[in-house]
Amino acid sequence: AELAPLAVKSNVVQGPPAAEILALRERLDVDLVALGSVGLRGLRRFLLGSVADRVLRRPGCPLLLIRDANPAGELKTIVVAQEYPDRATPWLELALRIAHAERSELVVLHVLPRAGYASDAHHVDLEPQKTPEKLERLVAQLDATVPVRIEARSGDAADLIPAVAQQLGADLLVMGAERNPDGWPGRVTDRVARAGLPGLLVVWPEADAEEEFEG
């Protein structure tokens, strides 16, 4: 009540935390799940806490992982990883809405495959030199009032996305979830989630967010 002037409802349940959070997410049809991200240094750099890791493996509404919140509660700089230079995505649209509401600077990051890298068709841009121009047009169509900076870089997305977010001092990184053949999350999402960023907002593609898993 001290932190939020709006009405707050509390739910106290017993059971495995991840399972109960997922069950509550579905029962209440929530729009966002927020969790603390506990980082431990080890062979895999930073390891997610087990609860965050398990929730990340179940598609649904956006998942906000917080490690170090800005003391003032501000989101001065938001980075959004956008793989499509000319197509809107739910994570780009959400990042724009947050940036608009928080009056944040938004950095749109597009990672180009390294030269000679055989990537999936939807990650290949036949005109990489036009990527910044395409992204500027796309963002202007969605919301021309948000101050946006375009960053188009080449490299491994799993390493480059968190590195750029850290370099820019981002308070929040927004990205789309992707999967591997065995399920969620894919390599990039998993690596970024374990990079120890202050804040990460993972958004599932709309079709996959409704996917149900057994067990």
Side-chain angles (χ1 to χ4, degrees):
E2 293 176 357
L3 293 174
L6 303 177
V8 176
K9 294 182 180 180
S10 299
N11 287 271
V12 180
V13 297
Q14 288 184 316
E20 294 298 336
I21 289 171
L22 291 168
L24 193 64
R25 181 186 72 177
E26 301 307 316
R27 187 163 69 249
L28 299 181
D29 192 25
V30 301
D31 297 309
L32 175 73
V33 172
L35 293 174
S37 172
V38 180
L40 300 174
R41 290 189 179 275
L43 295 178
R44 298 185 65 187
R45 297 175 63 195
F46 285 88
L47 300 181
L48 282 176
S50 61
V51 175
D53 183 75
R54 291 172 183 172
V55 175
L56 183 62
R57 298 179 185 280
R58 299 289 185 172
C61 67
L63 172 63
L64 176 62
L65 300 175
I66 295 295
R67 177 176 171 81
D68 297 305
N70 187 311
E74 299 176 343
L75 297 175
K76 294 182 179 179
T77 303
I78 298 173
V79 173
V80 56
Q82 171 69 7
E83 60 268 54
Y84 308 108
D86 51 6
R87 188 192 319 171
T89 59
W91 40 98
L92 176 59
E93 294 174 343
L94 182 54
L96 280 166
R97 289 203 298 271
I98 297 172
H100 183 97
E102 295 290 323
R103 299 182 179 180
S104 310
E105 177 194 26
L106 181 64
V107 179
V108 179
L109 172 62
H110 178 77
V111 179
L112 295 162
R114 294 186 294 267
Y117 179 75
S119 180
D120 295 335
H122 71 276
H123 284 134
V124 174
D125 190 346
L126 299 180
E127 299 177 304
Q129 71 279 2
K130 295 185 178 180
T131 294
E133 179 184 343
K134 292 178 180 179
L135 286 169
E136 287 177 357
R137 286 201 302 265
L138 175 62
V139 171
Q141 291 171 1
L142 296 173
D143 190 338
T145 66
V146 176
V148 172
R149 178 151 49 112
I150 306 298
E151 291 279 347
R153 305 202 185 182
S154 179
D156 185 342
D159 293 325
L160 198 55
I161 291 173
V164 171
Q166 291 171 335
Q167 176 188 343
L168 298 178
D171 299 299
L172 179 67
L173 169 66
V174 184
M175 67 177 296
E178 40 83 43
R179 66 181 300 172
N180 59 41
D182 299 321
W184 303 90
R187 183 182 72 93
V188 176
T189 307
D190 185 71
R191 291 270 292 278
V192 174
R194 299 175 190 278
L197 298 172
L200 172 65
L201 179 57
V202 179
V203 183
W204 279 268
E206 293 178 347
D208 297 310
E210 304 299 327
E211 184 177 352
E212 295 183 358
F213 287 82
E214 296 181 357

